[in-house]
Amino acid sequence: MARWSDHLLRDAFALALVGGDRTFEDVARGSLRDITGHQIAPAAEDAIVEGLSRLAPRREAVHAVTAAREAGLRVAALTMAGEDAARELLSGAGLLDLVDGVCSGRWRPAGEAYLAAAREMEVEPHRMGLVTAHGWDVAGAGRAGLVTGWSAHLEGRFPAVFPEPDVRGRDLGEVVEALLGLRADPA
């Protein structure tokens, strides 16, 4: 799975750089075929790709989203997987009713993906925050002018090659609380 994920991200980053128009499913399936030498059975490929829409949410996800909502913020999901897939995943996690929008259609970490999400949510980029577990996502969002929050739950250590996020935490809940603290800080 790690090899597949790395291959998928490599191709997604290349598409972000060159402006590709392939879907997330195209890239996921292509990556599976590439790492298996095109020897994967169609049923196995389908099971793996369709399984992405049934991933379990982080245990603190509902708390994090609820905290943002209770603070008067709108919440959106930013995805490369496509709006329908993201809505299915959010629904299964019990989060769909807590989200104001699903922004998709552009490959990250290209800046246009974050700027398009800001336009879609009708907010200036510098007034929009991104909560993520990926250092590369922090780098893309920060470069596009967003406020950034990084959760250590996936990578453990923030990648040294990227500018630091505005806030960080052990999990999504801590990151949201830290971002809310920025709002309260008059400086």
Side-chain angles (χ1 to χ4, degrees):
M1 293 303 290
R3 185 169 172 229
W4 174 49
S5 176
D6 290 346
H7 200 90
L8 190 156
L9 284 175
R10 181 205 70 189
D11 291 350
F13 294 160
L15 288 169
L17 183 64
V18 301
D21 63 354
R22 302 301 294 259
T23 68
F24 179 84
E25 184 173 337
D26 290 341
V27 177
R29 289 181 184 277
S31 297
L32 274 172
R33 292 175 192 142
D34 289 346
I35 68 166
T36 62
H38 294 264
Q39 299 298 309
I40 188 168
E45 182 181 302
D46 290 345
I48 292 168
V49 172
E50 291 166 11
L52 294 174
S53 67
R54 294 185 299 276
L55 294 173
R58 294 279 311 158
R59 61 176 165 42
E60 75 277 7
V62 170
H63 163 73
V65 172
T66 302
R69 302 275 305 180
E70 288 175 351
L73 300 177
R74 293 182 303 141
V75 175
L78 180 57
T79 180
M80 294 188 292
E83 188 172 341
D84 292 341
R87 287 186 181 283
E88 186 176 342
L89 188 60
L90 290 165
S91 179
L95 292 167
L96 187 58
D97 292 339
L98 299 174
V99 172
D100 298 296
V102 175
C103 304
S104 68
R106 303 232 172 30
W107 290 102
R108 300 188 328 265
E112 180 53 32
Y114 309 98
L115 297 174
R119 285 191 302 272
E120 190 170 329
M121 295 303 294
E122 298 178 346
V123 63
E124 293 295 319
H126 71 276
R127 298 192 45 84
M128 184 174 202
L130 177 80
V131 175
T132 184
H134 302 289
W136 55 264
D137 221 1
V138 166
R143 188 148 195 174
L146 277 66
V147 178
T148 57
W150 178 77
S151 172
H153 74 265
L154 182 63
E155 296 174 339
R157 291 183 204 202
F158 189 78
V161 298
F162 299 128
E164 283 289 319
D166 294 300
V167 300
R168 57 169 65 208
R170 287 182 312 221
D171 63 29
L172 302 173
E174 281 190 9
V175 173
V176 168
E177 294 298 329
L179 285 171
L180 293 174
L182 291 178
R183 277 184 80 207
D185 186 2

